Amino acid sequence: MSSLRPFCLTAWLAVPAAAVLLLLSPAAPSRAQAQAAQATPAPQQSADPAPASPSQATVAATSPDQRGITARAIDKVKQVAKSAGDIFSRVPCLSPKGGAKAMGSLPHVAGKLVAGKPVVIVAFGSSSTAGFGASSPEFNYPNRLAAQLHRHYPTADITVVNAGVGGEDAPEMMKRLQKEVIDVHPDLVIWQVGTNAVLRNLDPGDTAKMVEEGISRIQAGGDADVVLVDPQYSPAVNQRADSAGKMVKLLGKVAELRHVGIFPRFEVMRDWHEKQSIPVETFVIADGLHMNDWGYACFAQLLGDDIIRSVGQIKLGVNVPGDVRTYRPM
């Protein structure tokens, strides 16, 4: 993990270990960070106020009790970092052996990272984004993704906003799209959608139409890259195989029509089980639906790898074809 920049001791004590993973951006918040802070936070995270004056921080720093709390907080962060590194020790996270393709070029967010400009990423979705099934908030996929990007770009100003709300799908998400996505002015929107529609036996075509409308609104509101994330491969979803298959296919068509990327989560997770021979319980919790720590970690790793790959292409001067920049297929 990259080195932490200096910040107030009391502020260190005021945030949980999960949030520390996201405290790697420069001390002076950017306009985008201030706007991103208004979006829905990750579950179980809190944002306690900073001390009212420097003198209060001095008192806290000289208190033996507070020193003990500080030491425990640092130990917790070290444990989290170690867990992030160790989770793949027995079961490695590998790219699909075949079939699943990279989600495509992300020219806007990649260009800003190359230029050293602040980047805001909004993870928009339902319980898979909120992190249901993870043993701790720091193990949900947005926090995993943030940690990976900060390790790879230790000096970059990157903010990842978790705008996931469990139980929602396109109809509910559309109601908060303006406030929690568009008004944040993100550089990248990762929109996980479709699973709850499958479980509710809703028409995949209706979901696809709403998602297409939502992407159109995001694109009209600013120059942001968009990546769709389709449903997960899991026993609960596979019980409705026909509906799930239609949803995956239609979301792919929407991505193609609106010229955005798609992360083929269903195909990637199926590869884990069917081609890499990983037992389902290795990446899905006992409810047969939600991912566990390993599942979220590998999902975030592969997603982050695609973002890093896109930045690398621009840094190395790779000539990304014009049709890829304007049309980013799966």
Side-chain angles (χ1 to χ4, degrees):
M1 182 178 292
S2 59
S3 60
L4 295 175
R5 289 173 171 75
F7 56 90
C8 174
L9 177 59
T10 305
W12 171 276
L13 300 175
V15 294
V20 173
L21 292 176
L22 300 178
L23 290 177
L24 300 178
S25 55
S30 64
R31 170 191 61 79
Q33 285 176 299
Q35 292 169 325
Q38 298 175 4
T40 303
Q44 303 179 35
Q45 290 179 312
S46 61
D48 295 333
S53 67
S55 62
Q56 293 181 4
T58 302
V59 172
T62 57
S63 167
D65 291 339
Q66 293 289 52
R67 281 199 300 271
I69 296 173
T70 303
R72 290 195 294 272
I74 293 174
D75 288 342
K76 175 63 176 176
V77 173
K78 290 180 179 179
Q79 291 171 7
V80 170
K82 186 176 186 298
S83 298
D86 290 350
I87 197 166
F88 300 135
S89 60
R90 287 186 293 177
V91 180
C93 176
L94 304 175
S95 298
K97 295 180 179 179
K101 300 178 182 178
M103 64 188 181
S105 176
L106 302 172
H108 182 68
V109 70
K112 293 194 75 172
L113 280 172
V114 170
K117 297 179 180 180
V119 170
V120 173
I121 300 172
V122 173
F124 190 48
S126 59
S127 56
S128 291
T129 300
F132 188 89
S135 63
S136 182
E138 54 261 46
F139 297 141
N140 64 39
Y141 105 73
N143 278 339
R144 287 282 196 181
L145 177 62
Q148 179 187 1
L149 293 178
H150 283 303
R151 287 194 300 269
H152 198 86
Y153 307 108
T155 63
D157 180 357
I158 303 172
T159 301
V160 176
V161 179
N162 189 330
V165 176
E168 290 193 350
D169 213 274
E172 298 84 7
M173 294 177 197
M174 290 293 286
K175 296 177 182 178
R176 58 191 182 93
L177 180 69
Q178 183 69 42
K179 180 180 180 181
E180 299 189 16
V181 178
I182 297 173
D183 289 350
V184 174
H185 303 291
D187 302 294
L188 170 63
V189 179
I190 304 170
W191 190 354
Q192 166 261 312
V193 66
T195 299
N196 287 319
V198 170
L199 298 179
R200 295 173 188 167
N201 202 29
L202 300 180
D203 184 354
D206 290 342
T207 298
K209 289 178 182 177
M210 282 183 275
V211 172
E212 182 183 349
E213 178 189 346
I215 294 172
S216 179
R217 288 174 55 189
I218 293 170
Q219 292 173 329
D223 189 15
D225 296 320
V226 178
V227 172
L228 294 179
V229 177
D230 60 25
Q232 64 264 48
Y233 175 90
S234 66
V237 173
N238 294 344
Q239 288 177 2
R240 300 180 180 273
D242 289 344
S243 180
K246 290 178 182 178
M247 184 67 72
V248 169
K249 184 177 181 179
L250 285 173
L251 289 176
K253 286 186 175 181
V254 169
E256 185 176 327
L257 179 65
R258 297 307 310 176
H259 312 300
V260 302
I262 187 162
F263 183 90
R265 181 170 57 154
F266 188 89
E267 188 178 352
V268 166
M269 294 179 70
R270 181 167 61 184
D271 186 279
W272 294 347
H273 182 56
E274 296 183 0
K275 296 185 179 179
Q276 299 183 39
S277 301
I278 300 175
V280 172
E281 57 269 23
T282 301
F283 53 86
V284 174
I285 64 173
D287 69 358
L289 175 62
H290 295 95
M291 289 184 284
N292 58 17
D293 287 348
W294 189 93
Y296 284 123
C298 193
F299 168 38
Q301 180 72 39
L302 298 177
L303 186 61
D305 286 347
D306 273 349
I307 295 173
I308 293 167
R309 187 178 301 112
S310 184
V311 176
Q313 287 181 324
I314 293 178
K315 278 188 173 181
L316 293 174
V318 174
N319 182 23
V320 180
D323 61 340
V324 174
R325 286 181 172 273
T326 57
Y327 163 53
R328 298 185 294 278
M330 194 174 77

